Amino acid sequence: MAIDNNNPLEQQNNPEPNGSNSEANTRRRKKPRRDGKGSNTQSNKSSKTSLSKSKNRRGGKDSGQDSHALATQAMDPNLSNNLDIGDAEDNAAAEAEGGIKAIGDQRIIPFMKLEKPMALLSLLMVIGSIIAIAVNGLNLGLDFTGGVSADVRYEQPAEQVEVVKALADNGFDDAVVQYLGTRQELLVRLPPQSDNVDGLNASLSKALALPNNNVEISNVNIIGSQVGNEVYLNSVMSLVLALACMLGYVALRFQFKLALGAVLSLFHDAIVTIGIFALFGFPFDLTVLAAILALIGYSLNDTIVVYDRIRENFRRVRGITPRQTIDLSLTETLRRTIMTISTVLLVVLAMLFLGGDGLYWFSVALFIGLLAGTYSSTYIASSIPLRMGLSRDDFIVKVKPEFEEEIVTFNDPKMFEQD
């Protein structure tokens, strides 16, 4: 009996109604209940809040875990209903923070909230660019209009400014001077001159002569206007072909709705850049055309990153609207977009201020196009597919009827007979 009375397991299973055991039972009842109705619910809420805050502070490697947690929680139908209905207090707090609302444990920026104003702004810019091109026209360079091209070599290094000034003093205005590898070898481009090559060679030798620096003209080429028109037409065809290839690639890689949005955003970037050159009369030559082609490739790369995240979120996150899915994708790629555009702009600005006259207009075209491309990848490339009815069904592979398995039920009456 002594053993039974001293057994702690027996005392826990059969507590006495009075004494210290009753006090222990009373204290035990005051603990949080496990049915979710007591204070345990509040403790769980506080622990979830602190966990989400710590995840937001960490970032980096935890961002992938947050996305996985978001996908797991979005699979719960109860959570989906809560996401659709929303909490008034959370929405009020989010509006106080600048309109940043939450989906699950991850906060998103409502980019599509400004969809209509940005669409109107883009339409005005495109229409203004087309009007500027039609009214003012492009200040085409010598590559498109024709002219004179001469290869010049000096005994000592020469400055571009000095060569341009010497040509202007001798009647050769609007000259373009570029270095060919070294500071002694230069390429001189002039507007159309007389067809007499011998007289032109003598005039250039006299105009290019610098004090204490002998010059030698190795090659003089006269480019006619017909050749310039062919280059101009080939340039336009190259832009159209590039946009058509981008349309086919995105349509095969993702979906036609996204492909149409990507091509329209690329057209927006190209036409806005060309329109600014026409509006201010900037010279438009082959280097500017090369910048526009490079801009199309850069802008498409940025758009593909956003599209890839949109497709991924449509497949893994459920219970939210397509607009919220696009906002979530743009929020997740925002850091990458900022880092990419910052590093590229540093290089472009370095070429703009330190690259010389040969890279000046190339850098100007890239600078304008980068700003337009970042804007179009966020709004134009994403809002157009949304307006076309982009949904989760566009990214789910559906099984064709001929490949569906037929369920056959076989009931043998002899199986149920008893022996």
Side-chain angles (χ1 to χ4, degrees):
M1 296 297 295
I3 297 176
D4 294 337
N5 293 330
N6 294 330
N7 190 356
L9 297 176
E10 188 68 22
Q11 292 177 1
Q12 291 179 2
N13 295 329
N14 299 318
E16 295 181 0
N18 54 5
S20 60
N21 291 332
S22 62
E23 296 177 357
N25 291 334
T26 304
R27 289 193 299 270
R28 190 158 47 245
R29 292 190 188 98
K30 292 181 179 179
K31 292 182 178 180
R33 296 181 180 179
R34 298 298 178 183
D35 56 357
K37 297 180 180 180
S39 60
N40 190 30
T41 305
Q42 298 177 357
S43 62
N44 290 337
K45 289 183 179 180
S46 61
S47 62
K48 289 181 180 180
T49 304
S50 61
L51 180 60
S52 62
K53 290 182 179 179
S54 61
K55 287 182 178 180
N56 292 332
R57 292 192 188 100
R58 285 198 298 268
K61 297 181 180 179
D62 293 342
S63 60
Q65 298 177 359
D66 295 342
S67 300
H68 180 70
L70 174 61
T72 304
Q73 293 181 3
M75 295 292 291
D76 189 359
N78 296 327
L79 179 59
S80 301
N81 295 330
N82 294 333
L83 292 177
D84 294 335
I85 298 174
D87 191 5
E89 296 180 357
D90 293 341
N91 291 335
E95 292 295 337
E97 294 179 6
I100 302 177
K101 299 181 180 180
I103 292 181
D105 289 337
Q106 187 169 354
R107 293 190 176 274
I108 64 172
I109 302 175
F111 287 98
M112 293 295 104
K113 187 177 181 180
L114 302 176
E115 176 189 4
K116 293 182 179 179
M118 291 301 178
L120 181 61
L121 177 62
S122 302
L123 184 62
L124 292 177
M125 287 193 298
V126 171
I127 294 176
S129 300
I130 295 176
I131 293 175
I133 295 173
V135 174
N136 297 339
L138 292 174
N139 184 14
L140 298 177
L142 301 179
D143 299 320
F144 300 115
T145 60
V148 178
S149 174
D151 296 334
V152 179
R153 180 178 178 83
Y154 285 94
E155 291 184 355
Q156 299 178 2
E159 297 293 336
Q160 292 177 332
V161 179
E162 295 179 358
V163 176
V164 172
K165 185 177 181 303
L167 290 172
D169 294 339
N170 289 270
F172 295 99
D173 297 327
D174 299 330
V176 178
V177 179
Q178 297 177 352
Y179 287 117
L180 296 177
T182 63
R183 297 170 61 87
Q184 296 176 260
E185 298 179 359
L186 295 92
L187 175 63
V188 178
R189 296 180 180 180
L190 300 172
Q193 306 291 329
S194 62
D195 295 335
N196 188 357
V197 179
D198 295 334
L200 182 61
N201 197 352
S203 300
L204 283 177
S205 299
K206 180 180 179 182
L208 293 172
L210 297 178
N212 300 324
N213 195 355
N214 296 328
V215 62
E216 178 183 356
I217 300 176
S218 59
N219 190 14
V220 177
N221 296 321
I222 298 177
I223 303 174
S225 59
Q226 183 177 1
V227 177
N229 291 331
E230 292 179 359
V231 174
Y232 181 76
L233 293 177
N234 292 334
S235 302
V236 175
M237 291 300 297
S238 65
L239 287 175
V240 175
L241 181 61
L243 293 177
C245 292
M246 300 303 179
L247 177 65
Y249 168 74
V250 181
L252 293 176
R253 183 70 173 81
F254 292 94
Q255 214 270 343
F256 180 76
K257 297 176 183 177
L258 297 178
L260 187 60
V263 171
L264 290 179
S265 67
L266 296 178
F267 174 77
H268 167 271
D269 301 339
I271 201 68
V272 168
T273 305
I274 297 174
I276 291 178
F277 269 74
L279 180 63
F280 295 100
F282 296 155
F284 190 90
D285 53 10
L286 286 179
T287 58
V288 178
L289 177 64
I292 293 176
L293 292 175
L295 171 65
I296 290 176
Y298 170 82
S299 181
L300 180 68
N301 178 63
D302 196 16
T303 304
I304 289 298
V305 173
V306 177
Y307 281 176
D308 187 66
R309 187 57 60 91
I310 289 175
R311 179 178 60 180
E312 179 183 353
N313 287 333
F314 266 115
R315 290 177 176 178
R316 70 182 178 89
V317 182
R318 300 181 183 179
I320 60 177
T321 62
R323 181 182 296 271
Q324 290 175 333
T325 302
I326 292 178
D327 286 338
L328 175 62
S329 304
L330 292 174
T331 303
E332 291 177 345
T333 57
L334 179 61
R335 180 179 299 178
R336 181 258 177 200
T337 301
I338 293 176
M339 294 176 63
T340 303
I341 189 64
S342 300
T343 52
V344 176
L345 280 179
L346 288 177
V347 178
V348 171
L349 291 177
M351 291 191 299
L352 181 64
F353 294 104
L354 304 176
D357 295 337
L359 296 176
Y360 182 78
W361 296 114
F362 175 82
S363 305
V364 171
L366 276 182
F367 181 80
I368 298 171
L370 286 174
L371 298 180
T374 304
Y375 157 78
S376 65
S377 298
T378 304
Y379 285 101
I380 299 177
S382 301
S383 62
I384 290 178
L386 182 62
R387 286 293 178 180
M388 294 178 64
L390 187 68
S391 62
R392 186 173 180 271
D393 295 335
D394 296 326
F395 303 98
I396 300 300
V397 179
K398 298 181 180 179
V399 180
K400 296 182 178 180
E402 58 267 21
F403 293 105
E404 293 181 354
E405 296 182 358
E406 182 179 0
I407 301 175
V408 180
T409 304
F410 180 76
N411 294 327
D412 189 1
K414 296 182 180 180
M415 295 175 60
F416 302 98
E417 294 181 357
Q418 296 182 358
D419 296 337

